[in-house]
Amino acid sequence: MFSLRQVEALYWIARLGTFERAAAKLNTTQSAISKRIQELELVAGTPLFDRSQRSARLTEQGEQLLALAQEMLALQQRVLHLKDGNEIPVRRLRLGITELTALTWLPRLIASLRAKYPKVTIETEVDMSRDLYDRLQEDRLDVIIIPEAFSDAHITAVELAQNRNVWMGSPKLVRTRRKLSIAELAEYTILVQGNRSGTGLWVSKWLKSEGAMLPRLFSSDSLIALLGLTVAGLGVTYLPLQCFKPLVAEGKLRIIRTDPELPAIPYVAMYRHDRPSAFTASVAELARTTCDFSRQLQG
């Protein structure tokens, strides 16, 4: 095995040009420096200096090891700075979100993360709630932001906000403004999200609890696809009220009042607490303070 002392000797000999100067820099003797290099050469299995030269000139293998030595010494300094509280740690965050978060408050969350952790590397995946939850369980994601539709003893869920959905349709399709029963609503083609969607699971359970009979049902995993079909007048669907209010104001969509109304859907930030979780808990708290489904991205 080699030691940092041996690596340090190699670095300073290469930088200062002689064993003698390196010994003075490291406050030791020239023989001690020579011994460290001999031990390092035994570990490396090759000469590190060209001893046919009068000056301390590295061999090709010595130059390769020097590059590694510089990295090791830099890491040593970062560890020491971390102990002193002067080093901002490098972080990697594997973040999973659904379409709604990506369309609304994701940029504010990323800005908050980078302000608190300037060296953070954020890898974002946009997918269905079920798939994100599975990847969190498999330790392929660190934090996910989804509707609260799943639970596990090893996973912490931090409440973010309640998201209100309402039924919407194109004014060309839905001409009435009166309040509709679920049976009357079912006379239209109902566009829904599938069971891999957390919101889809919530609404599906609610419709069953209301005894809804839906003879004309169209399912899609994509929120944006459902939005496009609804604007085109091909059916009615449930959409986040705050996010898509501008389309109502523009006359592209109409809110369909129903009795009963759709339930509000809780969103959570989830992370595994059977892993080191101080960082992920901090991410979840930042998500709680920045969560805002009312603001669409501007194109």
Side-chain angles (χ1 to χ4, degrees):
M1 294 294 293
F2 62 90
S3 68
L4 280 173
R5 281 188 160 196
Q6 295 162 1
V7 169
E8 195 176 40
L10 176 69
Y11 173 80
W12 285 110
I13 294 168
R15 181 166 179 180
L16 300 178
T18 68
F19 282 57
E20 183 181 5
R21 290 172 188 164
K25 172 67 181 179
L26 297 175
N27 196 28
T28 187
T29 63
Q30 186 171 338
S31 61
I33 291 293
S34 297
K35 184 179 179 182
R36 292 180 195 179
I37 295 301
Q38 289 169 3
E39 291 169 344
L40 191 56
E41 288 178 326
L42 282 174
V43 174
T46 184
L48 301 178
F49 288 93
D50 184 352
R51 287 175 171 77
S52 66
Q53 305 292 324
R54 300 184 67 180
S55 60
R57 182 176 298 177
L58 288 168
T59 62
E60 183 177 347
Q61 292 84 355
E63 289 178 355
Q64 292 174 4
L65 187 56
L66 175 63
L68 296 174
Q70 290 171 320
E71 292 181 25
M72 292 177 64
L73 293 172
L75 285 172
Q76 180 195 36
Q77 288 303 308
R78 287 180 57 190
V79 170
L80 294 174
H81 289 159
L82 187 62
K83 183 184 73 172
D84 297 335
N86 297 325
E87 173 77 355
I88 299 173
V90 175
R91 301 282 191 182
R92 179 174 74 125
L93 173 64
R94 300 169 299 172
L95 177 65
I97 57 171
T98 58
E99 282 180 293
L100 181 57
T101 296
L103 284 169
T104 51
W105 56 281
L106 177 62
R108 293 188 295 284
L109 175 59
I110 289 177
S112 297
L113 284 166
R114 287 180 173 161
K116 185 165 185 178
Y117 301 102
K119 295 185 178 181
V120 69
T121 298
I122 304 172
E123 301 171 5
T124 306
E125 292 189 31
V126 182
D127 211 331
M128 306 304 296
S129 299
R130 174 82 258 179
D131 298 327
L132 295 175
Y133 185 76
D134 289 345
R135 268 172 257 168
L136 178 66
Q137 288 188 309
E138 294 164 1
D139 205 21
R140 293 161 56 196
L141 290 172
D142 301 311
V143 178
I144 61 172
I145 296 168
I146 61 172
E148 189 177 20
F150 315 103
S151 62
D152 186 282
H154 300 297
I155 292 176
T156 295
V158 177
E159 286 190 23
L160 303 181
Q162 298 272 330
N163 182 49
R164 184 187 170 199
N165 286 267
V166 296
W167 293 100
M168 293 189 187
S170 166
K172 295 178 289 186
L173 177 67
V174 183
R175 300 186 181 279
T176 182
R177 292 185 180 272
R178 67 181 179 84
K179 189 175 291 187
L180 302 181
S181 68
I182 300 302
E184 289 174 312
L185 186 73
E187 294 175 7
Y188 297 95
T189 298
I190 306 297
L191 310 173
V192 299
Q193 290 178 283
N195 288 335
R196 290 165 60 233
S197 159
T199 299
L201 286 170
W202 266 87
V203 175
S204 176
K205 289 177 182 177
W206 177 80
L207 287 169
K208 286 179 181 177
S209 72
E210 296 296 325
M213 302 293 291
L214 306 175
R216 292 185 293 171
L217 196 67
F218 179 89
S219 176
S220 171
D221 285 339
S222 171
L223 174 65
I224 298 304
L226 292 177
L227 173 64
L229 292 170
T230 305
V231 170
L234 298 180
V236 301
T237 193
Y238 46 87
L239 292 169
L241 174 62
Q242 291 178 304
C243 180
F244 294 113
K245 239 179 181 178
L247 294 179
V248 175
E250 293 170 14
K252 295 178 180 178
L253 288 173
R254 174 172 291 169
I255 295 173
I256 306 170
R257 296 183 301 126
T258 61
D259 184 17
E261 295 180 344
L262 283 163
I265 297 176
Y267 269 72
V268 292
M270 307 183 88
Y271 61 91
R272 293 180 58 153
H273 57 248
D274 59 345
R275 300 284 189 274
S277 60
F279 174 58
T280 49
S282 175
V283 172
E285 178 59 22
L286 280 175
R288 189 187 66 79
T289 58
T290 56
C291 179
D292 181 1
F293 292 112
S294 66
R295 297 172 62 182
Q296 273 184 300
L297 291 176
Q298 300 299 313

